[in-house]
Amino acid sequence: MSQTVLVADDSTLRLIQETYAAYEVEANGPGMVARFKLPHATVTVYRSKKVLFQGAHHAQEASRFQRGELAPLSSAPSNELKSSVPDDLPTASVIGSDETGTGDFFGPITVAACYVPKEKIELLQELGVKDSKMLTDDAMRDMAPLIAASCIHSTLTLDNPKYNELQEKGYSQGKMKAMMHNAALNHVLRKMDGAPYDYILIDQFAQEQTYYNHLNRSKDVVRDRVIFATKAEQIHVSVAAASILARFQFLKALDALSERAGVTIPKGASAKVDKVAARLLRTYGESELKQWTKWHFANREKAKRLL
Ligand code: MN
């Protein structure tokens, strides 16, 4: 079978995972960290940092990362991912959901869902609610309590010990995220107690079919009027609000970790993260550090090497 193998550094690994996030499928094989099924290629990321590209477009896909910069997708995203959203979505009553923390070595994954009936859209926009990537952490710390006070919402935290347990059992991040989104949506629907909504909008991280496959053993799978869209926080303010609530929860968790560790815990998975992790490893030891991190990330080994 034709294939290309790359050995990727951390930033390339992250780029690969971000680029293909919407195509994530289960990664069950030995040593696999993540797996992505594109229309004409399959990409598998291994713990060893090897990335295997297979299928008709293996070379084109791999070449996007060999150059160290991101070339355009060699094949158009499948129709499933491009699914157009209803025209009335931006002005409808919507429950939006989004997650954060997935690419950070330290701290949990958090997911939030937020119900924004159409008569509250303007209020949230006046509060300055928009794509969390366009807001500073401080702006989000100010905004989140206001959103929480004005909207029915649910915020869930998958703490690191539980994350690591699930990861060691073979759960992909995609599966964990799907379960968390579904749970948050169920919480919000329960709190709404029959209040009307037109759509549920999930900021898309997997193909629709993959999302529901992840939930094949879950009960109460929310399906009614569910729409998936990428960059959904730009489509409806409910997803932007959810992204801010999720981020706020994540920041609070990092604050608590920083307090416990006695150092400022950095976000992300950069070399700076390796350095802090190495310091904590020396001070607190491996089993403690594991409680604070997504233990399967490459940062673990890099931190050990720094010691
Ligand atoms: Mn998102």
Side-chain angles (χ1 to χ4, degrees):
M1 190 195 216
S2 50
Q3 59 181 53
T4 306
V5 179
L6 291 187
V7 180
D9 60 17
D10 278 4
S11 66
T12 308
L13 280 179
R14 263 199 315 286
L15 187 60
I16 290 171
Q17 304 221 24
E18 275 166 26
T19 304
Y20 297 134
Y23 296 98
E24 188 174 3
V25 295
E26 297 276 357
N28 292 327
M32 287 182 186
V33 173
R35 197 146 210 255
F36 308 93
K37 246 189 162 60
L38 284 69
H40 302 290
T42 301
V43 181
T44 310
V45 179
Y46 291 89
R47 200 163 293 138
S48 62
K49 298 191 187 179
K50 278 196 180 129
V51 185
L52 176 62
F53 295 81
Q54 295 165 298
H57 287 187
H58 69 95
Q60 291 102 304
E61 290 302 324
S63 71
R64 307 169 73 216
F65 304 100
Q66 282 162 327
R67 281 197 294 272
E69 59 183 56
L70 201 54
L73 271 170
S74 62
S75 55
S78 72
N79 290 334
E80 267 175 282
L81 266 178
K82 275 267 171 190
S83 61
S84 55
V85 299
D87 288 343
D88 66 339
L89 182 57
T91 54
S93 296
V94 174
I95 308 166
S97 71
D98 197 11
E99 81 284 331
T100 196
T102 54
D104 302 270
F105 181 50
F106 285 102
I109 291 181
T110 58
V111 169
C114 186
Y115 168 54
V116 180
K118 54 178 117 195
E119 61 275 11
K120 281 190 184 168
I121 292 174
E122 220 178 285
L123 167 77
L124 288 190
Q125 285 167 342
E126 275 164 21
L127 287 178
V129 174
K130 57 183 169 187
D131 187 351
S132 64
K133 290 173 207 77
M134 295 163 70
L135 296 168
T136 63
D137 286 352
D138 285 341
M140 289 190 276
R141 285 180 199 273
D142 290 342
M143 231 175 256
L146 300 174
I147 297 168
S150 20
C151 299
I152 295 173
H153 66 280
S154 166
T155 309
L156 298 180
T157 303
L158 179 62
D159 60 27
N160 295 104
K162 186 73 192 170
Y163 175 96
N164 292 328
E165 184 194 321
L166 293 174
Q167 199 278 327
E168 282 158 22
K169 275 189 192 161
Y171 283 54
S172 66
Q173 270 203 357
K175 189 177 183 74
M176 298 184 218
K177 286 188 276 187
M179 292 170 71
M180 291 175 79
H181 276 266
N182 188 58
L185 291 171
N186 269 314
H187 290 165
V188 167
L189 285 167
R190 214 171 304 136
K191 290 186 200 175
M192 281 164 61
D193 196 24
Y197 69 95
D198 302 307
Y199 303 105
I200 290 173
L201 180 58
I202 299 177
D203 190 36
Q204 187 158 20
F205 56 88
Q207 302 220 30
E208 183 168 348
Q209 191 53 51
T210 307
Y211 175 87
Y212 287 117
N213 286 345
H214 284 321
L215 296 174
N216 59 5
R217 290 208 202 134
S218 304
K219 44 182 184 172
D220 301 329
V221 176
V222 177
R223 290 174 183 271
D224 185 29
R225 287 168 273 172
V226 171
I227 292 168
F228 298 87
T230 54
K231 300 201 171 95
E233 62 281 314
Q234 292 168 19
I235 300 173
H236 195 277
V237 74
S238 62
V239 179
S243 75
I244 293 169
L245 292 173
R247 197 67 190 163
F248 181 59
Q249 189 80 3
F250 175 78
L251 292 172
K252 279 201 299 186
L254 276 201
D255 289 347
L257 277 185
S258 299
E259 183 123 329
R260 215 168 119 191
V263 292
T264 301
I265 299 287
K267 290 170 281 189
S270 65
K272 189 177 164 196
V273 169
D274 300 333
K275 271 191 205 144
V276 173
R279 241 175 95 182
L280 296 177
L281 201 52
R282 194 167 45 221
T283 313
Y284 297 97
E286 198 167 312
S287 64
E288 189 71 10
L289 185 65
K290 184 176 179 182
Q291 309 291 307
W292 305 350
T293 59
K294 299 180 187 78
W295 195 236
H296 64 111
F297 276 34
N299 301 86
R300 174 185 69 186
E301 292 309 318
K302 291 191 138 192
K304 283 186 189 169
R305 253 175 272 141
L306 284 177
L307 277 190

